[in-house]
Structure formats: structure tokens, C-alpha cells
Amino acid sequence: MSEISINGVDWLYGEVIFNYTTLLETGEITDPYVRDNSDPNQLFAIDVLVDADNTTTRITNVKPANNNIKQIPIIGENVLLFRADNHESNEIKSRLQWYYLPPIGIQSNINNNILGSISGENFIKDKLIPDVSVPPLQPYRGDILIEGRWGNSIRFGSTVDFKNNYSEPGKWRGNNIGDPILVLSNGRKYKEDKDFVTEDINTDQSSLYLTSTQKLPLVLGNKDQPNSLTGCVTTSGNETNYVGSQLLGVSDRVILKARKDLAVIDSPLGIILNSTGAIKLGSEEASESMVHGEVLLEVLQSIINQLNTMVQCGSSTGTFINLSYVNKAQKQLQDLLSSKYKMEFKPNK
């Protein structure tokens, strides 16, 4: 492909290769993923092999066109290059530099789009890129998708009508077409032959959902021990039927850490710690059992009732001379139970 000039800007098409110039001069390969003592103005630069006018040319130190959103091509992928001012340019003199755009999706692959048709050196591939099949994410009308090479993605989507329109319908539902939803997903089940996949809040390795009005088929607990919300606190439905805005995060482990100040969970309605296993307060080694308030109340009330009972000694009966402490305890029992903090009754069997 010959060099093309459009509105004064030169364009080329080429294949990403090793940095041979540095290899011949120093015996080392410049790695765009390593920050060494090389020119700090050449960060993330690659070398590209181009075939212009039947002449194969190596263009060295090609820089990314955008440093804020990085997609460094892997060896063997193909890119478009354009020439523009470099860091040494000024109002008097223009110094030109080649820049690359994101790799071209020749193979329609998510993981890599290696072709190697220009250099013929198909054996020169980046061995650090595993040869895995990553299926593409199902797009829905109006979506903006950002997909990584390894089955991780961000979807800026919405409520859509999934009926008969898509190869793989989404897992969320809603009544208002166009209501926004944001899905960050990491690690999905693979499919063969580049079949579409979609996010699944119950089976993806980890995910984060920001909804507006959508329902999600989230299952609390696990398959063997479901632990769904029952609606005792909220009338908005359980975790599957709720239709308001939600922030839902799911993974095998969740850790939230405040490094310097409070860790706050705030709700005007209620806070539920939901687990089919143990709940520990203070540390993982916590071993002191929490007290069931209603049981304690019943025990203490029985003791007070016993102290107020007539005592018989021989032929005489009576009560304790001083019952002020008993009467005080009786009044304090009214404040024993909290109307705000509740726990599930789990007797020690």
C-alpha cells in the first residue's frame, strides 16, 4: 500500500513487529510495556513494517495517537499510521512523527487480530499473549461497548426489547425502553466459533451493575441454600423483582476498606447482613456468641418474678425486705430490646 496524503496528512498501513533497530544497536528490544531509561517522549511506541510502493520499510518508534485510552497492538496485528507534529515542534518549525491508531479487526477476534501478511514472519508473534478464544459480547441497539482481550468489558446500555431481535438476549428486563444501565463484567463462559455472549450476574466471575429501572435475576445465597429477601422490611420486592435504581456487585469475595476514615453503609429503611454461614464482628477469630434479646428478656423476667414470689420458711412466709433493686430491674427490662437492631434467631444446637 502506497503512502496516501489526505488534506496534508500522510497515512500508511502496516504490521506491528519487534523493535529491530534497538535490537541491532544495543542487543536489546525496546518494550512498550516497560519504562526504562529511553526517551520519555516515546512512551508506548512500537515498530511497524509497511509495504509502500513494493518496498518494505520499517518505521520505528511509532507513538499512540491517544495516551488517555491505551490499546497497544500486539506483534502481528495491523494498524493505520498517520504523520503529525512531534514534541519538538514549535511555531517556527514543524517536526513530524508517525502515530498509530488502534489495531484493525481483521479477524473479528476479541483476543487478537494477528495476520502477518506483510512481513511473512508469522512465527514472530508475541508469546506473552495466550492463544485463547474469547467470544464477542452481544451488542444491543444503541450500546457503547468497551471489550478487553480477556473477556472483560464495560457496557453503556439500556433497557431494550429482546424479543426476536438478538442472537443472545440480555439477562435484565425493564418496562421503559431506553432507561440506562451500566454493566462492568469480568470473566464469562466461553463459546466457540465467535458466538455472542452476554453478561450473567450469577455466573460471571465478577461484575458490577448500575441500574435505573431494570430487574436482574440475582440469586442471594447459593443454589443449595438460597437466602432471598422476604419483603419483611421493604415492600419493593426481593432482589429479583426490584425495579428501582440499584448498585449490585457480585464476586467470590468482596472486601471494602476505608484507609483513613469511616466505612459507612447508610439507608433510611434498613440494613440487612444476609448470610447462610457465620457472621463475625470484630475479627475472623471472633468466638463470643451474641445474645438473643427475646430469650434473655424471658430469662430475666422469670428471675424477677421468682424474687417477687412469697418465700416460705417453716410456718412463716414473706418477701425480701428490700425489693428496690428488683423493681428497678423490672423497669429496666422495658429498655432491653431494641426497636431498630434485629438479628435472626439461631439457637445453639
Side-chain angles (χ1 to χ4, degrees), residues 16 33 72-78 111-114 126 129 149:
V16 180
Y33 304 96
I72 302 174
I74 61 177
I75 295 167
E77 289 187 322
N78 291 265
N111 180 251
N112 75 74
N113 282 279
I114 295 173
D126 194 337
I129 300 295
R149 295 184 187 270

Side-chain angles (χ1 to χ4, degrees), residues 54-121:
N54 297 321
T55 301
T56 300
T57 304
R58 302 180 191 276
I59 301 179
T60 62
N61 295 322
V62 183
K63 295 168 60 175
N66 188 335
N67 276 325
N68 297 103
I69 301 177
K70 296 180 180 64
Q71 187 180 357
I72 302 174
I74 61 177
I75 295 167
E77 289 187 322
N78 291 265
V79 292
L80 281 175
L81 314 182
F82 67 92
R83 191 152 48 185
D85 291 339
N86 72 1
H87 59 280
E88 295 179 343
S89 300
N90 53 46
E91 65 276 7
I92 299 175
K93 188 171 183 178
S94 176
R95 298 180 183 272
L96 298 180
Q97 158 86 47
W98 285 103
Y99 296 88
Y100 65 84
L101 295 174
I104 298 171
I106 295 176
Q107 310 282 9
S108 295
N109 284 336
I110 299 300
N111 180 251
N112 75 74
N113 282 279
I114 295 173
L115 185 61
S117 59
I118 297 177
S119 67
E121 296 172 311

Side-chain angles (χ1 to χ4, degrees), residues 130-317:
D131 186 15
V132 295
S133 176
V134 178
L137 196 61
Q138 166 75 62
Y140 305 114
R141 287 175 177 81
D143 283 358
I144 295 177
L145 303 178
I146 300 175
E147 295 187 66
R149 295 184 187 270
W150 314 114
N152 37 23
S153 61
I154 301 176
R155 181 192 297 273
F156 298 88
S158 67
T159 297
V160 296
D161 185 358
F162 295 121
K163 294 180 180 178
N164 304 319
N165 289 322
Y166 301 102
S167 302
E168 188 71 25
K171 304 297 184 183
W172 59 91
R173 296 293 183 270
N175 296 323
N176 304 316
I177 303 300
D179 281 355
I181 185 171
L182 192 154
V183 183
L184 190 155
S185 174
N186 184 60
R188 292 182 286 274
K189 292 182 178 179
Y190 286 171
K191 288 186 176 182
E192 300 296 331
D193 300 325
K194 302 176 187 176
D195 284 345
F196 287 156
V197 295
T198 192
E199 304 92 338
D200 190 320
I201 194 170
N202 292 306
T203 60
D204 291 351
Q205 290 181 341
S206 58
S207 55
L208 184 67
Y209 286 71
L210 279 71
T211 74
S212 55
T213 60
Q214 295 82 8
K215 294 181 181 180
L216 289 165
L218 176 64
V219 176
L220 294 183
N222 54 52
K223 182 179 180 181
D224 298 325
Q225 287 184 292
N227 198 23
S228 294
L229 299 176
T230 61
C232 292
V233 176
T234 175
T235 59
S236 301
N238 62 19
E239 63 275 11
T240 299
N241 296 321
Y242 187 71
V243 295
S245 63
Q246 301 181 83
L247 188 157
L248 301 171
V250 179
S251 65
D252 290 344
R253 172 182 282 193
V254 177
I255 296 178
L256 301 176
K257 177 185 172 76
R259 290 189 295 182
K260 291 186 177 181
D261 213 317
L262 298 175
V264 179
I265 301 176
D266 179 63
S267 169
L269 183 60
I271 296 173
I272 297 174
L273 298 178
N274 195 37
S275 175
T276 56
I279 296 178
K280 303 275 189 172
L281 300 179
S283 73
E284 189 178 1
E285 290 79 24
S287 58
E288 291 291 325
S289 298
M290 298 183 68
V291 175
H292 290 101
E294 277 74 9
V295 175
L296 177 61
L297 175 63
E298 185 176 345
V299 170
L300 294 177
Q301 185 64 67
S302 297
I303 293 175
I304 291 174
N305 291 341
Q306 184 63 49
L307 292 175
N308 279 320
T309 301
M310 298 291 291
V311 178
Q312 183 171 355
C313 183
S315 59
S316 302
T317 60

